[in-house]
Amino acid sequence: MAVNVPSHSYSREPDIRLEDYLDDKLQSTTDLDSLDNLLANVEVQRTQLQAQLDDATRELQDARRAAQDRQGGVTRSIDDFQKLQESIDVRLKIVAESNAPEEAIRRLEQPMKQLHKVELAYQYVSLLQDVETLRIEARSHLPQSPKPALQPYTRLKKLSVRLRELQRTADEAATHLVDYVEKITEDLWDEMKNTMSKELESILKKRNWPQGVDTDSEMDAEWLQGIEKLIDLQVPEVLYSERVVTLSPFEVMAKPFIQWFRFQFMGNNATSGPQAFGTFCIPQFLSLIDKWEGFFRDNVGYVLASRLHDTKVRDLSVYMDPACALITALLPVMREKVDAMIQHGLKNPQFLSSLMVQLMDLDDEIRSRFNYDGGDPDQGWAGLTSEVLGKYFDDWFKAEKDFALERYHVIMNSPDARNIDYDYSGVGKMKPTFGAVRVTDLLKSVTSQYERVRKFSHKLRFLIDIQLDILDNYHDRFKDSLDAYYTITSTLGRTLHGMTKEQAAALEGTGAFETLCKVLGSSDHIIATLKDWSNEEFFVTLWEQLQMRAKRTNGDGNIAGGMSYENVKDRTSAVVGSDGDGGILFDETIAAYTHRRKTAEEYLVTALIDSHQKAFRPYVAKTHWTTISDNTHVEASQLSVTPELDEPLTILKRNLTFLASVLSTAVYRRVWREALEKLQDMLWANILMTQSFTTLGAAQFSRDLEAIASLVDRHIPDGSLTLSTLLDGSMLLNLPLEASNGAVSLRQARDSVFTDNTEAKKLLAELGLESLTPANARKILQRRVENSE
């Protein structure tokens, strides 16, 4: 059989594998018969191998062509990249030299804005869809299951709060969206509460609330269940609200009370008038709360405790105490009534003044009787008064200031305002004028008007712009009075301005003393009153608050209510804002009045001295101290007082009696000590050191001094000690010519005194005349006529 052998060149060396194959197939002669089949199989295998070889050859050629193509592509890519790089370099150079990017950005701005708006619109719609979904979900649970309804509502509420927070950081963007979500949230909440409230209302209607309910009865299970559902619904609102929330069950149950209140006090009947507010409206309001207080506490107290005891509001009476929760529900209608009363008061200042006192009383009653804290256990309930003053303080302040100033002028213009009130206090106490007493009473009444006001700036305004203004005005009156007195009593004043007969007559007798004692006693009364006030709790607290605020301002800026640091400091105390513990609210005012008191006291001493000098002038001018007596030993006690001394003694007694009736013991003694010292100096210089004395004259002078000392001691215990030097000089002057029983004679005294100072001091000590000096003793002894002989 012919076989087609391909024209390939093979190795002529024997193929071992071929030999093995042939040996395996041709082992015997019989195997030659199958040679054709063997050749055919070999041909088939060769054909297959050839086909495989051809395929491999084609694939190799394709791979070589592909490699060549890839090589060319890479080369072209490199060329293209280089061209692109060159193009980029050229364009970068052009861009660097032109404003093309800005123009491109500007061209892209509008499309980007449109794209941003589309994105916002999508998000906007998605948010609204979520809001609507939450609302529908919350509605689906009511009224059967209020607690599950809270879950979607809570998510909606948190979303609303979060949107508002984000808006603040985004410059108040998306106002409409935020407002819409908040409104949807609020509307949903109102709808939820209304749904549950209607359920409770139907329960109350069945029980004819409140007419058909006894205050000592107990709520049934259905009633309590309706309350519990509303409380459960409202717990999140209570916990997350920044203001006090009225509990819905009490809001529902208070509706009949509110209707009754409106009918009684906000209608057209007599009890709705302004004058009935304090006499009927407030007492009935408090009586209503008092009536139902026990009922609510007994029935609802444990419900509130079970829901809120373990929360952050457990210490707030407005949530834990049912009576306080009832008050919270009733306060809105009282606010309406108060607002109506305020509007009437704005047209009638006198009513406004009394209304504020009534409101303060109402606030105090609610706080003290029902322990109402208004949601602030630390500071307590601010009260309706604070709410009113937040809007109408200036109107009330103006009314109170006008009333105070009007009353002050009435006091000052009253006929007895300048008269001394001798019955004001007992003996030995300062006596103010009727006007001073009434002024302090007026100031006390002003304090009672504002001491219960809570805001510091309001209290400071009353203190400075009303009380201190009145005190300053009254102080100016004292200053004017003292200036006028000085003008008409001083030599320079009389020379420049003269003195009328009326003015001269007013100063006659004790007139000058009375004028000065009015200022002295009234100033002392004001000072004592202000010092007493400064120890009261109200003013101590006010001072501490002022100090705290002043330190925060560091001496700059306003302290409160538009009042500057310097202004407040000038009107109250120089130590405002300092770190020291001293100082009181009235330091500056007390200092001013103290100056007037000191000046009045100085003028009083001067007037007293002038009175004595005028009274003793005839006595001093007496020259009959050298009268000779046949008796060498004259007892002064047996002599009568010199006639020229009768008038001075009368005036001394008058002055002592009058001043004792108006001055305190301390001031009285101080004034008279200075006056008697001057009297002693006058008698010492003009009589004892000037006149010559015989034995009788010396005895007479001693008798006169005893009369003066006795008069002084009757009014001022031991007051004559002020005259001790003069009395000792009189005793030395009155030594007898001849001594008996070991007494010292005039001659012995003269010999000792003129020996030396040692002997003189020894003699004076022996005689008990320690107030005299040796020099004075010599001068006194020289005044005896017998020693000059």
Side-chain angles (χ1 to χ4, degrees), residues 12-281:
R12 294 191 180 270
E13 297 205 5
D15 190 339
I16 296 175
R17 290 177 298 174
L18 178 60
E19 291 177 358
D20 291 339
Y21 177 77
L22 291 177
D23 289 341
D24 180 62
K25 296 297 183 180
L26 299 175
Q27 295 179 0
S28 65
T29 57
T30 58
D31 292 333
L32 293 174
D33 294 337
S34 61
L35 183 61
D36 291 337
N37 291 333
L38 180 61
L39 292 174
N41 288 335
V42 171
E43 181 62 25
V44 171
Q45 291 178 4
R46 184 195 68 80
T47 304
Q48 290 177 347
L49 290 173
Q50 185 63 45
Q52 292 177 358
L53 179 60
D54 293 341
D55 291 339
T57 302
R58 283 193 301 271
E59 289 177 0
L60 178 58
Q61 291 174 351
D62 291 340
R64 287 174 177 173
R65 283 194 298 269
Q68 291 176 355
D69 291 341
R70 283 197 298 273
Q71 182 66 29
V74 171
T75 303
R76 287 192 300 272
S77 296
I78 293 173
D79 293 339
D80 292 341
F81 176 78
Q82 290 177 346
K83 292 178 181 178
L84 179 60
Q85 183 64 44
E86 292 175 357
S87 175
I88 290 173
D89 292 340
V90 172
R91 279 180 288 174
L92 285 175
K93 184 177 180 181
I94 296 173
V95 168
E97 297 176 353
S98 67
N99 57 356
E102 289 78 1
E103 294 178 358
I105 292 173
R106 283 196 295 271
R107 288 198 300 269
L108 289 174
E109 280 181 354
Q110 191 61 31
M112 292 301 292
K113 286 181 180 179
Q114 294 295 334
L115 179 60
H116 183 62
K117 288 181 180 179
V118 172
E119 292 177 352
L120 285 178
Y122 175 76
Q123 295 174 0
Y124 191 99
V125 173
S126 299
L127 181 61
L128 293 180
Q129 186 177 4
D130 293 341
V131 169
E132 185 62 23
T133 300
L134 292 173
R135 180 168 66 168
I136 294 173
E137 182 181 355
R139 285 174 172 175
S140 65
H141 294 288
L142 297 177
Q144 295 81 11
S145 305
K147 280 188 176 181
L150 287 174
Q151 296 179 1
Y153 169 76
T154 301
R155 291 170 57 192
L156 185 58
K157 181 66 175 178
K158 290 181 178 179
L159 175 62
S160 174
V161 172
R162 181 57 178 163
L163 286 175
R164 180 61 69 183
E165 293 175 352
L166 293 174
Q167 185 192 33
R168 295 191 187 101
T169 59
D171 298 331
E172 302 298 323
T175 302
H176 297 294
L177 175 63
V178 176
D179 291 344
Y180 174 77
V181 175
E182 284 185 347
K183 187 176 186 305
I184 289 295
T185 305
E186 293 171 0
D187 292 345
L188 175 61
W189 178 246
D190 292 339
E191 182 181 349
M192 293 168 66
K193 287 201 297 185
N194 290 337
T195 301
M196 300 306 300
S197 297
K198 288 178 181 178
E199 184 181 29
L200 181 59
E201 286 177 356
S202 63
I203 295 173
L204 296 175
K205 188 175 182 181
K206 293 177 184 177
R207 288 151 183 78
N208 191 25
W209 168 260
Q211 291 81 6
V213 178
D214 188 83
T215 55
D216 295 326
S217 63
E218 294 183 0
M219 295 182 179
D220 56 71
E222 184 183 13
W223 193 346
L224 289 172
Q225 186 179 13
I227 293 175
E228 290 172 353
K229 285 183 178 180
L230 268 174
I231 294 296
D232 290 338
L233 181 68
Q234 207 174 7
V235 166
E237 182 186 22
V238 170
L239 297 180
Y240 294 105
S241 178
E242 296 180 356
R243 57 181 179 80
V244 174
V245 175
T246 303
L247 296 180
S248 296
F250 293 91
E251 195 172 12
V252 173
M253 290 185 285
K255 284 184 178 180
F257 301 147
I258 294 173
Q259 292 173 352
W260 166 83
F261 186 90
R262 290 184 183 278
F263 174 77
Q264 288 289 337
F265 306 112
M266 301 178 72
N268 296 321
N269 45 30
T271 55
S272 299
Q275 302 306 322
F277 180 72
T279 55
F280 291 100
C281 181

Side-chain angles (χ1 to χ4, degrees), residues 627-634 696:
T627 304
I628 299 175
S629 174
D630 296 335
N631 190 355
T632 59
H633 182 74
V634 180
L696 180 60

Side-chain angles (χ1 to χ4, degrees), residues 530-639:
L530 295 182
K531 287 183 177 179
D532 289 341
W533 288 356
S534 298
N535 293 321
E536 294 180 2
E537 182 181 0
F538 170 72
F539 288 106
V540 169
T541 303
L542 190 60
W543 169 252
E544 292 174 350
Q545 292 174 340
L546 175 60
Q547 280 286 69
M548 180 177 62
R549 287 173 176 259
K551 290 176 182 178
R552 285 205 302 261
T553 61
N554 294 321
D556 187 20
N558 293 331
I559 290 183
M563 289 177 282
S564 68
Y565 170 84
E566 290 298 332
N567 181 38
V568 173
K569 181 178 178 180
D570 292 342
R571 299 295 300 278
T572 55
S573 173
V575 300
V576 168
S578 65
D579 295 328
D581 295 331
I584 57 177
L585 278 173
F586 305 101
D587 274 345
E588 294 300 316
T589 304
I590 290 175
Y593 276 92
T594 301
H595 181 67
R596 298 303 153 215
R597 182 178 63 179
K598 180 181 179 182
T599 302
E601 185 175 326
E602 291 173 352
Y603 286 175
L604 179 60
V605 171
T606 302
L608 198 56
I609 293 171
D610 290 343
S611 174
H612 296 163
Q613 288 178 346
K614 292 178 182 178
F616 278 85
R617 190 171 295 150
Y619 178 75
V620 170
K622 177 183 179 320
T623 57
H624 304 292
W625 301 109
T626 55
T627 304
I628 299 175
S629 174
D630 296 335
N631 190 355
T632 59
H633 182 74
V634 180
E635 288 290 340
S637 59
Q638 298 177 356
L639 300 175

